[in-house]
Amino acid sequence: MTLVKIKTIALLGLMLGISYLSYAQTYIGKGLKVSLFSSTPIEDIRASSNAANAVMLLPKQELNIQIPIKSFEFEKKLMQEHFNENYMESDKYPIAKFKGSIEPLIDWTKDGDYTVSAKGILSVHGVDVARTIAGKINIKNGVISISSNFDVTCAVHHIEIPKLVFTKIAEIIKVSFQGTLSPLKK
Amino acid sequence: MKKSKLIVYLILLTLILALRAAAQNTDSLLNTLNSSMKFNKVEATFKSPRLVLSQSTETQKKHDLDLVITHRFGDIGGNFGSSHTLYGLDVATDLYIGFDYGITNNLTVGIGRSKHDELYNLFIKHKILQQTNDGIPLNITLLLQGAVATRTPFANEFISFNHRTSYLIQPIISRKFSERLSLQAIPSYLIRYMTTDILDSKNLFTIGFAGRFKITKRLSFIVDYTLINGLSRPTRLSVAQYNPLGVGLEIETGGHVFSLNFINAEYINENNFLTDTKKSWKNGGVRFGFSISRNFSLFKSKNPDIKSTIY
């Protein structure tokens, strides 16, 4: 009987351990910053949002980032409206997202700087594009800082830039992304 | 027996917990964070604060200044039209120059001047209800406008200053049904102290209906009709009055909105065209008109993350 008891207690402990471990392997980040930069000889336009959310699952280093398009702020509010209405069609495609995995494998318990790339699907304006995006990761006391700079080509995502506009918009938009992820506490 | 049962249940419970934790994927976790709920406004019901005749539910963005220039030409046909006036293009029945300014995103003040009656108008426009994609089905904007006719009187027309004034109370109700289609209802109550026609009533209750259909992202068809006759207006008048109907094309180019219209109302301001539309679509009384609006952003943000530069 005592042997059975020990066995069951051990089993319970093991299962609790598994559940604890799998929770600890989840990192979440809220309010990550995404900035857009469009540069032409006539006009530079910047926009920024602090409303991106990210989730990372560790065993596979899966990374999932989402941002509401309507959260981007522009200096000119009318430009912001046109960004949503004419270009991004944010009522139809309310969020942009990236879903992929980080390479190479990292020891997430060790503090340090890592140069990584994220391989996955970038979905903007409802168009999914397979991308490998370079980025940097810094780990300090269990908090992960993540940052990346990459380009988004409007035409690839079927974002049309009509000729009859006074504002000049670049065909390739520079995107920068930065924020921190912390272990999910249950 | 009871104890072992309890242990079995405990094992099952931890097993379920362990499985749930393992099965959690990034998508469902992101959904629990759920930040897109804040960004639920249905924006750009209309491209411009004005349709053909009426104001729309749109207000200016905070610290934006909009310059509006509107023109109405003469009758295309009839006695005052045809080739003698180049189908009305020689004539300007009314001209309007005005500014709209956004104090906040929901509160706009405006000032303008019309050629007809040398009318100066002041208005405030307050967006009371904002349509959202998760509950609120309508936009409601309240427009309050006062106007003063400053022209020299005929005979003893303006006994006191009050006789030069008129006031408009107008709740504007709209809904963006789809990306392409937006519709609007505009009940209004107009108060004046003097009528040019003694048979006409001083105060008028009217209902307008307007709509936009987007042909492309930047080109829209707009229509605007106001029901005046048959409501509070007496049926017998010295000079016949008609319900204003306008159709137009609206072209948006980012900062500018151009509107090309055909319309039977001679005048531009509500306080003028609601009380005084003597032309009808039937007898060549229709005219061409256009409107240009240009948006300026004042007081630029100091946030370097959103700084824009024009070279």
Side-chain angles (χ1 to χ4, degrees), chain B:
Chain B
M1 264 312 253
K2 269 185 181 173
K3 228 176 187 178
S4 60
K5 240 183 188 175
L6 193 73
I7 286 165
V8 169
Y9 279 131
L10 263 172
I11 289 173
L12 275 172
L13 189 71
T14 39
L15 188 71
I16 287 164
L17 271 173
L19 277 173
R20 242 197 67 188
Q24 235 168 357
N25 64 34
T26 53
D27 281 328
S28 64
L29 274 165
L30 266 180
N31 286 339
T32 59
L33 299 179
N34 212 353
S35 75
S36 63
M37 292 295 283
K38 275 195 310 190
F39 305 99
N40 56 359
K41 279 187 188 174
V42 175
E43 291 189 279
T45 303
F46 297 101
K47 291 273 188 191
S48 163
R50 284 170 183 80
L51 291 161
V52 186
L53 292 146
S54 319
Q55 298 234 20
S56 73
T57 45
E58 295 297 321
T59 51
Q60 291 301 315
K61 314 282 184 235
K62 189 180 178 180
H63 296 165
D64 272 13
L65 181 74
D66 201 40
L67 165 66
V68 190
I69 298 167
T70 308
H71 197 113
R72 299 273 182 263
F73 290 99
D75 297 9
I76 288 175
N79 294 336
F80 305 102
S82 78
S83 61
H84 295 295
T85 61
L86 195 62
Y87 306 95
L89 294 184
D90 288 344
V91 184
T93 51
D94 203 4
L95 268 163
Y96 177 86
I97 298 172
F99 289 99
D100 292 10
Y101 179 71
I103 294 171
T104 70
N105 284 333
N106 293 326
L107 183 68
T108 290
V109 291
I111 185 167
R113 194 265 189 192
S114 301
K115 179 194 171 204
H116 181 70
D117 273 355
E118 293 166 36
L119 187 88
Y120 286 85
N121 65 298
L122 259 173
F123 65 83
I124 58 170
K125 215 174 158 181
H126 188 202
K127 193 162 207 177
I128 301 165
L129 203 64
Q130 165 71 52
Q131 187 182 340
T132 64
N133 51 28
D134 60 356
I136 300 166
L138 297 170
N139 297 299
I140 299 178
T141 299
L142 183 68
L143 172 71
L144 300 172
Q145 178 167 262
V148 186
T150 62
R151 66 174 164 82
T152 43
F154 303 123
N156 297 322
E157 203 181 10
F158 302 125
I159 301 160
S160 72
F161 177 76
N162 270 350
H163 286 77
R164 293 177 174 275
T165 61
S166 55
Y167 302 92
L168 179 78
I169 304 164
Q170 191 173 74
I172 314 171
I173 303 149
S174 77
R175 176 173 164 81
K176 190 176 189 176
F177 283 91
S178 70
E179 193 193 352
R180 284 181 190 275
L181 183 71
S182 299
L183 297 177
Q184 177 169 294
I186 319 137
S188 18
Y189 192 66
L190 192 125
I191 302 157
R192 51 183 173 164
Y193 292 90
M194 191 199 73
T195 57
T196 36
D197 186 337
I198 40 167
L199 297 173
D200 204 355
S201 62
K202 281 180 182 163
N203 301 342
L204 287 174
F205 172 71
T206 68
I207 303 177
F209 302 95
R212 170 190 80 170
F213 184 80
K214 271 171 99 174
I215 299 161
T216 70
K217 271 188 192 141
R218 287 157 189 287
L219 180 71
S220 308
F221 174 72
I222 47 177
V223 59
D224 199 326
Y225 176 73
T226 308
L227 192 65
I228 304 167
N229 292 342
L231 291 173
S232 66
R233 173 168 261 168
T235 40
R236 289 189 58 186
L237 296 172
S238 321
V239 181
Q241 294 277 351
Y242 296 91
N243 292 334
L245 168 67
V247 293
L249 285 176
E250 193 180 71
I251 305 145
E252 186 256 314
T253 60
H256 294 82
V257 177
F258 301 97
S259 175
L260 308 173
N261 308 313
F262 287 98
I263 198 165
N264 64 318
E266 303 106 297
Y267 310 126
I268 295 157
N269 192 272
E270 290 85 354
N271 293 33
N272 280 336
F273 80 73
L274 289 176
T275 56
D276 201 5
T277 294
K278 295 183 296 296
K279 303 286 180 171
S280 92
W281 275 73
K282 279 180 189 160
N283 307 316
V286 64
R287 71 210 56 253
F288 178 62
F290 67 83
S291 187
I292 299 168
S293 90
R294 165 73 188 152
N295 184 281
F296 301 94
S297 292
L298 308 183
F299 306 113
K300 295 201 169 163
S301 156
K302 287 183 178 72
N303 181 356
D305 290 334
I306 59 170
K307 194 172 164 41
S308 297
T309 320
I310 298 168
Y311 296 111

